[in-house]
Every structure is written in structure tokens, then in C-alpha cells.
Amino acid sequence: MVDFSKMIKTDRSTRKEDKFEGTFLEYLHILQEHPEVYKLAHKRIYDLIVKQGMTSVHTEENPRLRRIYGKDTLKEYHFFKEKFFGIDKTLMKIVRYLHSAAMQGEEAKQVLYLVGPVGAGKSSLIDSIKHLLETSEPIYGLQGCPMHEEPLHLIPKHSRAAFEEALGVKIEGDLCPVCRYRLIHEFKGKYEDFPIEKTDFSIRSRKGIGVVPPVDPNNQDTSVLVGSVDISKMDLYPEDDPRVLSLNGAFNVGNRGIVEFIEVFKNDVEYLHTMITATQEKNIPSPGKGSMIYFDGVILAHSNEAEWNKFRSDHTNEAILDRIVKVEVPYCLELSEEIKIYQKMLKSSYFEAHIAPHTLEIASMFAILTRLTPSNKVDPMTKLKIYNGEEIIEKGTTKRIDIIELKEEADREGMTGISTRFISKALDVALSESEYDCINPISLMEVLLREIKEMSISDESKKRYLGFLQDTIKKEYHKILEKEVTKAFIHGYKDQAQDLFNNYLDHAEACVNRTKLKDDSTGEELAPDEVFMRSIEEQIGVTQSGAKGFRQDVTAYMFSVIRNGTSVDYTSYEPLKEAIEKKLTSSVRELSRIITKSKVRDKDQNEKYDAMVEEMKQNGYCDHCCNVILKYAANNLWKD
């Protein structure tokens, strides 16, 4: 039995011990011992992200990443690693902004603005940073201050240089009107007696995290941003008395933390003018006739591209545009990363159905195909594979398509297409409609077809999307399925593939080096087997004239892999892997076709069929989806 009473008491005791209530003098002693307690907002958030770890990934050591990013060095921040996929460059830009701002560069005076299509993850990125801030160590603030401001603001300007030297910090900012009034009238200017408390960050309690939703253009009240004058106190105090101020606006609440603007450009420009002083001067207007109030916070804003383009096109908005650091958040364009997005979504749901192999892969393929810009250089599926870092041989030659060229001809790629949200909903529909608590690529494609037909999009886009499902993806799935069935059919598939790989590599190396092979059994020296090598190369369209170049590429690549200390197998070089798999597939295709399609099998065929089913089940299929997949294969893969 769990002792809930003990759990509650322990938690309450821990929180009580963590509380601090003392004077400014006590705070100074704490700060002297721990100077890191004093941090401005950008520095605090940057440190929180970096504290969770960062790994520099050198693409030269990873062939796949090198094909995607060239010789760039990627930085993987562990905080984002399990939450966001396929947007490494975007994440690096966000952290770079925070790093620059933490060092009090120009970007400390600018708004971080995320722009991208719906469902790309803009809100999720900002939410994750807000929740990260909630995990921060409590900060020290002036007790009773509506803005939880930094206690060092109490120190008079003429004394700050001496305190800065003694504490080893640079003091920035000034007291808010409320605390200034209290210092003079309650404490008679004795700032060393001003009470200090520990406070934390909380979205729910509006402590250090302010949120500004889009406001009705006909009723835009700046009190949402900077607070208001409490009219209930106007009879008690003079108009310019700080005690009439109600500092509960987003900038007041978000001081020392974050202010988020949701769909920022849906608001009128006049409403956003507070941003200008909040960024460049780090001051916000006081309600009524009060003086400006110091503000230290990270301003995060986001909206879609249409709103951005509309706002940017008006030259009168230059003052705000000049204070914005724009970071694009596109859709993911890497297949392997897109799959991880749906795996994460399904893990966080309550669905417990079985998901057949390649189901999420097919869903991800469709999503990415809709996001890619058509190219004259490659077909859509080839482009998808190139963007996923796969090694591609195009039109029977060893010419490699340059990913940089493809990206240069499509500057807005990833900013349009089907959202992850749409695919996620389709997966939910497929799961909820499943009678056997199992979904597979076939049932998912049926749901996607139905959902696309019901979408409110242009006829041209609808026709294009349906073409991907009914033609491009269907053909690709047939290739995957044929390979899958063949793998299950061939006993010891990997061993046979590896044997073919080793054999080909020996012959190709001898051919390139113009040497002979030594027979292990007889010791006889033999010339490279041209017929054997061509039987593999032809599987991927390598011509006779291109064979020499292909063999040189294979051997050079393998030697480079070995030099880097990586072991090689038949999957090491994508084109050769594809050729070997096609060779194996073609050698058993007819037998697979007969056994899969046959309704009446003899004893030997039944044994082979049962062994194939058992192998597929070990590879992730359940009884139901295995049955559906094999029936589909019989009716679609090997038509007479």
C-alpha cells in the first residue's frame, strides 16, 4: 500500500524548506557566495537548455548526414532531442539567438519570431521552452512586487559601481513605481531592510510567463500588455499615485521570464508598439501617467507565413520589423525523422492497437511528398530518398544528384503541404475504425484517400495528393512488400545477402586493381567473374559502360568506411544493398508468387508458407495484418 499521507507531508516539508524570506542585506550575502543567482532572462533560458547537454555531430563521420548537410557541424541539444525531429537547423538558430542575447548582444533587444505552416511545431517549441522555465531554480524577488523584480534594483545609481565590483555582477534595471513608493514610504529609503522572497516560474499562476492571445481589432486594450489603473482606488489615492496601478499585463507578468505573442500579426500595429520600447530600451509604458517601467524578458512570437508576408509588405511597420529575429519552422523533410514524430505522438496517446511494419513509413512518405517542390532533375520519390540521406544512383550511371542544387531550386520547400496534424488525425481514424486492434499500410492508405477527398483544398492540389497515394506511394509500397515477403521466404536472408556482398566486393576490387582472385579450395588464380558482377549491377540499371565507374565507387567507399573504423556489411552502400536485395528477390519471385497465391498447396509448399508466415510474425506482423498483407501481395504483386 502506498502511504499517500507520507507523500504529501514529504512534499510539503520540502517546499517549506525551499522557501526563503529575508532582507535585502541577507540576499547580498547569498549573492556574494553564489554570483550565478543573478541572471537576466535570456541567459537563464540559454543556461537551462545547455545544462541538459549538447553534442556536436561532425557530418564527415556520418555518411547519411554528410549527404544531407555536407560538411556542416550539427549541434544536437539534448533538451529538444526527444521532442522535435527533422528541424535541427531551426533549433540551432533558436539557441544561437538565445546565446547571443545571453551575452547582451544586439539580439538581447529583439523579438524571437517563429514563422511556419500550420502544425509545423511553432507553438510546441515555445511551449517546451515555457515548461523548461518552470523547472528552473526559484529566483529571488522583491516581496510584494507585482513584477517579481530583481532585488539589486534597490541599490541607488550612485552606489552601483561599488556594489558591482564587490559582487562581480553588472546591475541592470530600475525599480518599478510600486516598489519605489514602498521603499520611500514604508522603509524610509533603507533598502537594506526591504523584504526578499523566493519565487518560481509558473504558467498557470502567471508568474514569470505571460501570454498574449490575438485580440479583437475593434477592442484592443493595451492593459492586456502593461496593466491598468484600478479605478476602485481612484477615490483613495491621487491619480499619479503608484498605489492605483494594477501591473498585471503580460509584460508585467512575464518580467524576468517569457512573454509569448500568439498569432502576433493578427493584432493591429498600434497594439504592438509596446514591443518597440520593450526590446530596444527594455522599458514598457506605465498605465496612466506613470513613468516607464524596466522590463527584462524574452519576447517570443509566432504566426503563419501569410500573416508575416502581409505585415512585412507594409513599409510603415519598419520599426517593428527591425526588432525581429525571424526563424523559419518548416515541416520535416527527412523520412526517418518524420516517422519519429508519429511514433512520439502515438506513445503519448492511449491507443494500444498493433501497428504493422511500414505503416508509419507510408504515412510519412505521403506527408513529405506533398511538401516537396517538383523538380525537373528527379522524380518525387527519388527526391524524398535523397533528402533522407540515401545513396541514389540515377538512370544507370554513377552520377550523384546534388542535394544542394535541389534545395536551391526550391527556396520555400517545407513551408507548404500536408501537416503532421493531418496525418496524426488519419492515424487516429484508422486506429478507431480497426476491428482487430491493428492497422497496416493498406488500411491507412484507404483512410488517407478518403480524408484527402474531403479536404477543402484546390482541385489541383487534391489531384496531386491523390496521385501520390494511388500511384507513387502504391508502387513504392509494392517494392517494399515484395522485399518483405522475399526476406521472410528466404531462410537465412541476411547470410545469403552478406555472401553475395562479400563475393561481389572481392571480384570488384580485383577488377579495379587489375589483379586475380585466388580460389580458397584449389589455390588457382582466377580472373574476376564479369558475368556474376553484371548479374548484380543490372538489378539497379548500371550499364556496361557505367560498370567500371560503379565498381570504383563501391571499392573506394568501402575503403573509406574501413579507414574510419566502421565495419562493413551488405547494407553499408545503399546502391549495392538495393542491387543485392533485388538479385535475391528475383531469384525467388516465381516461387514466392506460386506459394503465396496458391489456394491449394502440397505439403512442401504448406511448410514453406507456414515458415514464411512465422518469419513475418517475428519481424513485427501480427496474425491479422500478416493475413491481410499476404492476401494483398497475392492479388497485387504478382499479377499473371
Side-chain angles (χ1 to χ4, degrees):
M1 290 287 288
V2 177
D3 189 344
F4 293 109
S5 176
K6 186 179 179 181
M7 285 175 61
I8 293 168
K9 287 176 181 176
T10 303
D11 176 65
R12 187 171 292 143
S13 173
T14 304
R15 287 182 170 275
K16 191 173 181 181
E17 288 173 7
D18 199 40
K19 283 187 177 180
F20 170 85
E21 290 184 7
T23 65
F24 179 64
L25 195 57
E26 290 175 81
Y27 172 68
L28 287 175
H29 289 303
I30 291 171
L31 197 56
Q32 192 174 29
E33 292 290 322
H34 307 282
E36 70 279 1
V37 167
Y38 177 73
K39 285 180 185 177
L40 297 179
H42 290 90
K43 171 73 171 167
R44 180 175 292 106
I45 294 173
Y46 173 73
D47 285 352
L48 283 170
I49 291 173
V50 173
K51 184 180 178 182
Q52 297 201 19
M54 185 272 289
T55 304
S56 291
V57 180
H58 301 287
T59 56
E60 292 181 1
E61 298 171 5
N62 186 315
R64 177 182 173 272
L65 292 178
R66 187 174 66 247
R67 288 192 284 269
I68 298 173
Y69 298 107
K71 294 182 179 179
D72 290 353
T73 297
L74 295 178
K75 291 182 179 179
E76 287 185 351
Y77 295 94
H78 298 179
F79 168 67
F80 297 112
K81 195 170 183 180
E82 299 303 319
K83 300 183 184 79
F84 301 97
F85 306 95
I87 54 169
D88 292 324
K89 293 280 188 178
T90 296
L91 298 175
M92 285 169 63
K93 287 177 183 176
I94 291 171
V95 179
R96 188 162 60 230
Y97 158 83
L98 290 169
H99 190 200
S100 173
M103 295 186 293
Q104 291 299 286
E106 181 59 29
E107 290 186 342
K109 301 175 183 178
Q110 302 212 315
V111 176
L112 176 62
Y113 168 64
L114 305 184
V115 59
V118 294
K122 303 182 297 295
S123 300
S124 298
L125 272 167
I126 291 177
D127 283 345
S128 69
I129 294 173
K130 289 192 305 190
H131 287 298
L132 176 65
L133 188 56
E134 285 189 306
T135 68
S136 168
E137 289 290 323
I139 58 171
Y140 294 87
L142 298 181
Q143 193 177 73
C145 177
M147 299 180 64
H148 313 291
E149 64 182 308
E150 167 57 51
L152 291 181
H153 291 176
L154 289 165
I155 300 173
K157 293 286 177 70
H158 65 269
S159 301
R160 287 193 176 182
F163 276 91
E164 286 175 346
E165 186 177 350
L167 295 170
V169 299
K170 177 71 177 174
I171 303 171
E172 183 182 294
D174 203 357
L175 284 174
C176 73
V178 174
C179 292
R180 187 182 301 116
Y181 181 91
R182 288 185 65 202
L183 176 61
I184 295 169
H185 293 87
E186 278 188 51
F187 301 98
K188 310 304 179 187
K190 293 183 177 181
Y191 56 88
E192 68 271 21
D193 295 334
F194 206 107
I196 309 298
E197 65 179 356
K198 265 188 179 182
T199 184
D200 56 6
F201 294 91
S202 171
I203 299 169
R204 186 175 60 182
S205 302
R206 299 186 79 223
K207 291 195 294 186
I209 301 172
V211 179
V212 185
V215 181
D216 180 3
N218 300 317
N219 187 29
Q220 292 197 340
D221 184 359
T222 55
S223 65
V224 174
L225 302 178
V226 296
S228 60
V229 173
D230 188 346
I231 57 173
S232 68
K233 296 178 180 177
M234 293 293 285
D235 292 339
L236 302 174
Y237 310 113
E239 187 180 357
D240 59 350
D241 193 308
R243 286 174 292 181
V244 303
L245 300 180
S246 181
L247 301 180
N248 57 4
F251 279 103
N252 310 121
V253 168
N255 185 48
R256 304 187 74 186
I258 290 170
V259 177
E260 176 193 9
F261 280 80
I262 301 171
E263 297 294 339
V264 59
F265 298 127
K266 279 187 166 62
N267 299 297
D268 278 348
V269 179
E270 291 76 12
Y271 185 72
L272 301 177
H273 281 171
T274 306
M275 274 188 185
I276 296 175
T277 56
T279 53
Q280 204 64 32
E281 299 167 25
K282 299 194 80 170
N283 282 306
I284 57 173
S286 176
K289 297 180 180 180
S291 61
M292 299 292 280
I293 301 174
Y294 173 78
F295 167 78
D296 167 43
V298 181
I299 304 175
L300 303 176
H302 53 96
S303 75
N304 60 49
E305 202 174 18
E307 296 287 349
W308 163 255
N309 290 333
K310 181 182 174 183
F311 186 83
R312 187 183 58 175
S313 63
D314 188 344
H315 72 277
T316 61
N317 297 332
E318 288 176 354
I320 295 177
L321 288 168
D322 192 47
R323 290 164 171 82
I324 286 175
V325 174
K326 173 175 166 271
V327 175
E328 290 187 350
V329 185
Y331 288 132
C332 174
L333 296 178
E334 292 177 40
L335 179 62
S336 58
E337 296 299 296
E338 184 78 6
I339 292 169
K340 291 176 185 176
I341 294 173
Y342 304 121
Q343 287 172 338
K344 183 192 78 171
M345 287 179 169
L346 288 169
K347 279 180 185 176
S348 63
S349 73
Y350 290 101
F351 285 111
E352 295 182 357
H354 175 257
I355 299 174
H358 307 295
T359 304
L360 299 183
E361 183 181 355
I362 292 300
S364 302
M365 277 183 186
F366 174 62
I368 293 174
L369 284 172
T370 67
R371 301 165 187 171
L372 296 178
T373 303
S375 172
N376 294 324
K377 298 176 181 178
V378 288
D379 63 85
M381 186 56 72
T382 302
K383 188 174 185 179
L384 179 147
K385 291 178 179 179
I386 291 170
Y387 276 32
N388 195 41
E390 297 177 29
E391 190 76 43
I392 299 295
I393 285 189
E394 186 68 8
K395 297 179 181 177
T397 71
T398 54
K399 178 188 174 184
R400 287 174 180 76
I401 296 120
D402 189 359
I403 191 171
I404 296 173
E405 289 179 20
L406 293 176
K407 288 184 176 180
E408 283 176 351
E409 67 179 4
D411 59 330
R412 289 191 65 256
E413 204 161 47
M415 300 297 279
T416 58
I418 290 291
S419 72
T420 52
R421 203 172 288 147
F422 178 89
I423 299 296
S424 183
K425 285 190 284 187
L427 286 166
D428 289 349
V429 170
L431 285 163
S432 60
E433 288 182 353
S434 171
E435 295 180 17
Y436 297 90
D437 289 330
C438 169
I439 61 168
N440 55 66
I442 300 154
S443 63
L444 179 63
M445 281 192 278
E446 289 173 0
V447 171
L448 286 170
L449 279 168
R450 191 171 70 229
E451 295 293 317
I452 290 296
K453 288 175 182 177
E454 294 174 2
M455 276 186 80
S456 299
I457 53 176
S458 68
D459 290 341
E460 183 183 348
S461 294
K462 190 173 288 188
K463 183 180 177 182
R464 182 167 160 260
Y465 293 174
L466 291 173
F468 286 142
L469 286 168
Q470 294 168 327
D471 182 49
T472 311
I473 289 176
K474 197 174 217 179
K475 287 177 180 175
E476 188 64 24
Y477 180 59
H478 286 181
K479 292 178 187 176
I480 293 170
L481 184 54
E482 185 171 27
K483 193 185 297 181
E484 196 90 329
V485 173
T486 303
K487 278 184 180 180
F489 188 80
I490 302 174
H491 179 68
Y493 179 90
K494 288 183 180 178
D495 291 338
Q496 293 194 39
Q498 190 62 37
D499 287 343
L500 274 178
F501 169 80
N502 292 336
N503 208 7
Y504 177 85
L505 208 56
D506 289 341
H507 286 266
E509 186 182 348
C511 178
V512 169
N513 296 330
R514 297 181 182 179
T515 58
K516 291 191 174 183
L517 292 159
K518 192 172 184 179
D519 189 291
D520 290 337
S521 303
T522 64
E524 183 183 1
E525 289 192 339
L526 304 170
D529 190 338
E530 186 68 25
V531 175
F532 166 69
M533 288 187 288
R534 292 297 299 137
S535 72
I536 290 178
E537 292 156 357
E538 287 170 350
Q539 301 295 328
I540 52 172
V542 176
T543 60
Q544 182 70 51
S545 59
K548 183 180 178 181
F550 179 75
R551 293 165 194 173
Q552 287 173 337
D553 280 354
V554 171
T555 52
Y557 182 81
M558 291 305 166
F559 280 128
S560 71
V561 171
I562 292 168
R563 276 198 303 271
N564 288 331
T566 307
S567 59
V568 296
D569 59 25
Y570 83 96
T571 64
S572 297
Y573 188 63
E574 187 62 35
L576 186 54
K577 170 180 173 282
E578 183 183 345
I580 287 169
E581 288 180 340
K582 283 188 174 182
K583 171 78 172 170
L584 281 172
T585 301
S586 62
S587 66
V588 296
R589 181 182 286 117
E590 187 61 23
L591 193 54
S592 300
R593 183 186 74 84
I594 292 169
I595 290 177
T596 306
K597 292 193 71 169
S598 179
K599 292 180 180 177
V600 180
R601 305 183 188 93
D602 59 30
K603 184 180 178 182
D604 182 53
Q605 289 176 335
N606 256 330
E607 286 177 359
K608 283 186 169 66
Y609 183 83
D610 291 343
M612 179 176 64
V613 169
E614 194 58 39
E615 184 69 21
M616 289 186 73
K617 284 164 70 174
Q618 288 182 16
N619 290 335
Y621 291 90
C622 69
D623 287 321
H624 170 69
C625 65
C626 188
N627 184 44
V628 170
I629 294 293
L630 288 175
K631 281 182 179 177
Y632 180 86
N635 295 327
N636 292 273
L637 292 189
W638 302 297
K639 292 182 179 179
D640 293 321

